[in-house]
Amino acid sequence: IMVSASVPNDTTFHPSTFILLGIPGMRDQHIWAAIPFCSMYVLALIGNGTILYIIMKERTLHEPMYLFLCLLSITDLVLCSTTLPKMLTIFWLKSHIISYQGCLTQMFFVHTIFATESAVLLAMAFDRYVAICRPLHYASILNAMVIGKIGLACVVRGLLFVFPFVILIERLPFCGHHIIPHTYCEHMGIAKLACASIRPNTIYGLTVALSVTGMDVVLIATSYGLILQAVLRLPSKDAQFRAFSTCGAHICVILVFYVPAFFSFFTHRFGQQVPPHVHIVLANLYLLVPPVLNPLVYGINTKQIRLRIFDFFMGRR
């Protein structure tokens, strides 16, 4: 492999560098594949940046739903910025080398921010449940202090569950294996290069995916199930339609976030028959597509934000 020529082929416990191949089997198409990825990244930056600016500028939007939306936009910006700049240098500049510490740092942020965003989506589902099913208690249940504690808990939970990934990788010997067939560093992608048993990595990774992220999915589904039950009891068909369309859009974005992520998690462990390029493309989608869609579905689809964005671009206050 051409890119491995500049890396010494010595046998070390921890290599000084790794090589990120990009999308296996599509190296000739990297230049063209980078265009949609770059376009989505720019859209994610503009969309989430606009949402943050509007909510922070307008004091009338300093309410629970919009504060959760701020948290979502921040996690989206960090999630895609953790991987996309390096991915684009791989595709356009053929800069495949990443340091060992840089790889572990990227892995840590990718998984931490994913876990944090999962928790934020759960918090937003709970917010909608309280607003629709317990409207009289909304202000007392979700005040500013509670929202701050929820936001902190989302971040701390991600840090606590992902930090053991770093410890599990540090204990592995790599015996000169440097090449990661991926566009970014993730836990199992690194662990598979080791020349020792990775059973603890596999068990812990599955445990986190099923017990933490899996539980988020169950609780989000439960919240939206209760919301839909409440919506069906509304007397107005027009109100039912608006609520169904809003919930339907939210559920679609949630599915786009979780389905590719779980596909990637389980493909690493059980999907030997899945073509590598299919796996890697889908593994990139759950880091890119939600940050593009979330501002549209959660933000511009909200009347108050839509009006303020319109005023902003029309030059009004």
Side-chain angles (χ1 to χ4, degrees), residues 189-264:
I190 303 172
K192 282 184 173 181
L193 299 181
C195 50
S197 171
I198 61 169
R199 185 176 176 83
N201 301 68
T202 303
I203 293 172
Y204 183 74
L206 279 173
T207 301
V208 170
L210 295 174
S211 65
V212 179
T213 315
M215 185 57 67
D216 289 348
V217 174
V218 171
L219 293 174
I220 289 170
T222 303
S223 294
Y224 277 103
L226 294 171
I227 289 168
L228 292 175
Q229 279 186 354
V231 167
L232 289 171
R233 291 196 291 268
L234 293 174
S236 167
K237 293 293 181 183
D238 185 52
Q240 284 186 0
F241 176 77
R242 287 200 307 273
F244 273 126
S245 63
T246 300
C247 289
H250 289 189
I251 290 167
C252 287
V253 171
I254 288 166
L255 288 173
V256 169
F257 180 70
Y258 284 110
V259 171
F262 278 111
F263 178 86
S264 178

Side-chain angles (χ1 to χ4, degrees), residues 111-123 153-165 203-221 257-258 262 265-266:
H111 293 300
T112 299
I113 299 302
F114 176 82
T116 301
E117 179 151 341
S118 179
V120 172
L121 289 172
L122 174 58
C154 291
V155 176
V156 170
R157 190 194 73 160
L159 292 170
L160 288 177
F161 280 105
V162 173
F163 187 72
F165 284 156
I203 293 172
Y204 183 74
L206 279 173
T207 301
V208 170
L210 295 174
S211 65
V212 179
T213 315
M215 185 57 67
D216 289 348
V217 174
V218 171
L219 293 174
I220 289 170
F257 180 70
Y258 284 110
F262 278 111
F265 294 158
F266 291 117

Side-chain angles (χ1 to χ4, degrees), residues 64-126:
M65 182 175 73
Y66 304 111
L67 295 177
F68 283 130
L69 185 54
C70 270
L71 281 175
L72 185 67
S73 290
I74 292 168
T75 55
D76 276 339
L77 286 171
V78 178
L79 187 65
C80 58
S81 296
T82 302
T83 57
L84 258 293
K86 179 59 182 177
M87 188 192 308
L88 293 176
T89 63
I90 293 170
F91 288 169
W92 280 335
L93 304 178
K94 302 189 185 303
S95 175
H96 295 265
I97 295 173
I98 185 170
S99 69
Y100 173 79
Q101 296 300 331
C103 194
L104 260 61
T105 301
Q106 188 183 58
M107 176 202 77
F108 177 76
F109 276 102
V110 165
H111 293 300
T112 299
I113 299 302
F114 176 82
T116 301
E117 179 151 341
S118 179
V120 172
L121 289 172
L122 174 58
M124 293 178 76
F126 176 69

Side-chain angles (χ1 to χ4, degrees), residues 12 35 38 41 52 80 136-137 147 156 163 176 181-182 206 224-225 232 244-245 258 266 274 312:
T12 56
I35 295 173
C38 183
Y41 183 46
L52 283 171
C80 58
L136 298 178
H137 302 95
I147 293 168
V156 170
F163 187 72
H182 210 310
L206 279 173
Y224 277 103
L232 289 171
F244 273 126
S245 63
Y258 284 110
F266 291 117
V274 177
F312 173 74

Side-chain angles (χ1 to χ4, degrees), residues 34-68:
I35 295 173
F37 284 124
C38 183
S39 301
M40 285 192 286
Y41 183 46
V42 171
L43 287 174
L45 293 178
I46 293 172
N48 288 288
T50 302
I51 294 294
L52 283 171
Y53 176 77
I54 294 293
I55 293 174
M56 291 172 68
K57 188 172 183 292
E58 287 290 336
R59 296 190 64 83
T60 57
L61 296 180
H62 293 181
E63 297 176 6
M65 182 175 73
Y66 304 111
L67 295 177
F68 283 130

